[in-house]
Amino acid sequence: MLGQTVKGFLSGTNRMERLWLLAKIEFKLRYYENKLGLLWALLKPLMDVAIYYVVFKTILKSDLEAFASYLFIGLILWNFFLESTAGTTQILQTKKYLYEYSNMNKLEIYLSALMSNSIGFFFNLAMFIVFFNFVETDVMGLDVLNLWILPIFLNLFILSLALSLILSCIFVVAKDITQIWQVFTAGLFFLSPIFYKLTLFKQALPSFEYVNPIAGIIINARQVMMGKVLPDFELMLFDYGYALFLLLVGFILLNKIGAKAAEKL
């Protein structure tokens, strides 16, 4: 049964073009009725950075160098994770028409939603690169090690897809998962090194970066984008392990529960 989901996804023609089209439409519709339109894709993380900068740099006097960039890269990774999990919890209900009245595979619905979020992520990443390299610091230009952000982001994408599958399938039988996930992610946000100094985070929570895959992803992203050094490969291995294991669980649930989602919702 597990192979049926993947086989059904791979067997279609023009699959990637359709996914890309759906992702672009969803991304544009998200900002369609707003006066500033697509600018909100950039303004949202910038406003978040401004708020946390005032709190931690101005009020709490954080001594972190390039603190605005430190926040920026952490927040755009976190926002992608949050939008791709909390934002898709009810996807089997809200997009029921797509898999009931078309030949779309359910997996395509999830992938198009995450690809839509990916457009926003890479837009914000480009703004971060410009800000960090040419505005905030004296370090000019890019480094080949920055390319490691691609496998790091792939790790985040797989993890977010896996949790999206799991949460949306649980929602079919237990609607409370929406509230539970909100509380869980609120706690996870403060248990991730988004605005803490890394040494302080590791002292307070020894080895917790190996327990919390989001923490590892943020740490490695900062290493390759800001420190311009190789990622921690042991940490990356743990993070990919979590992501792939949860993806397997997600596929199993999609086959067992997702197949009957239209009847139960």
Side-chain angles (χ1 to χ4, degrees):
M1 290 186 68
L2 178 59
Q4 289 176 2
T5 301
V6 179
K7 186 179 177 182
F9 172 73
L10 294 175
S11 62
T13 57
N14 300 320
R15 190 76 70 185
M16 288 310 298
E17 288 143 281
R18 184 164 61 185
L19 278 174
W20 179 238
L21 179 62
L22 282 169
K24 286 194 293 184
I25 291 170
E26 187 166 333
F27 182 74
K28 288 176 181 177
L29 285 175
R30 190 180 306 170
Y31 305 102
Y32 180 73
E33 294 183 353
N34 296 315
K35 295 274 187 188
L36 296 178
L38 294 178
L39 272 177
W40 279 114
L42 172 63
L43 288 174
K44 171 64 169 64
L46 285 179
M47 288 189 290
D48 289 342
V49 168
I51 292 167
Y52 289 114
Y53 188 91
V54 169
V55 172
F56 286 92
K57 189 74 173 178
T58 307
I59 299 175
L60 297 179
K61 306 294 183 187
S62 173
D63 58 352
L64 267 167
E65 198 175 336
F67 187 61
S69 293
Y70 190 85
L71 274 174
F72 200 162
I73 187 68
L75 284 171
I76 63 174
L77 289 161
W78 173 261
N79 286 340
F80 176 86
F81 173 74
L82 191 62
E83 288 173 9
S84 299
T85 53
T88 55
T89 304
Q90 300 180 38
I91 199 169
L92 289 173
Q93 179 177 17
T94 57
K95 296 193 175 178
K96 186 177 174 181
Y97 62 94
L98 284 175
Y99 61 84
E100 274 200 311
Y101 304 110
S102 72
N103 64 342
M104 283 190 70
N105 182 287
K106 286 188 180 70
L107 190 55
E108 287 182 75
I109 300 170
Y110 292 92
L111 287 172
S112 63
L114 265 70
M115 285 171 67
S116 174
N117 292 339
S118 300
I119 296 171
F121 172 81
F122 282 106
F123 180 63
N124 287 316
L125 182 64
M127 296 302 103
F128 163 79
I129 289 169
V130 171
F131 183 79
F132 177 67
N133 287 286
F134 304 106
V135 177
E136 185 169 65
T137 72
D138 296 328
V139 181
M140 299 290 286
L142 301 175
D143 190 285
V144 69
L145 290 172
N146 294 155
L147 292 174
W148 276 101
I149 193 63
L150 297 177
I152 292 170
F153 175 72
L154 178 61
N155 186 177
L156 179 61
F157 188 95
I158 295 170
L159 178 67
S160 301
L161 174 61
L163 288 169
S164 177
L165 290 167
I166 293 169
L167 292 169
S168 60
C169 287
I170 293 174
F171 179 81
V172 172
V173 294
K175 306 293 186 291
D176 295 2
I177 192 63
T178 303
Q179 285 71 34
I180 293 170
W181 188 246
Q182 285 176 354
V183 173
F184 180 79
T185 50
L188 192 65
F189 178 75
F190 289 101
L191 291 173
S192 301
I194 295 171
F195 34 71
Y196 310 123
K197 187 187 287 189
L198 185 55
T199 52
L200 180 64
F201 177 80
K202 287 185 173 182
Q203 284 172 5
L205 299 167
S207 301
F208 193 71
E209 66 270 25
Y210 289 94
V211 178
N212 175 5
I214 291 296
I217 288 168
I218 291 171
I219 289 167
N220 274 329
R222 285 193 178 123
Q223 283 192 198
V224 302
M225 297 304 297
M226 295 182 68
K228 297 183 179 177
V229 296
L230 287 169
D232 182 331
F233 291 110
E234 183 183 356
L235 188 56
M236 185 183 284
L237 185 62
F238 267 84
D239 293 338
Y240 262 100
Y242 281 122
L244 293 171
F245 172 74
L246 290 172
L247 186 62
L248 177 62
V249 174
F251 280 145
I252 293 170
L253 288 177
L254 187 62
N255 273 302
K256 292 197 172 195
I257 300 174
K260 299 179 181 177
E263 302 168 17
K264 294 186 178 182
L265 288 169

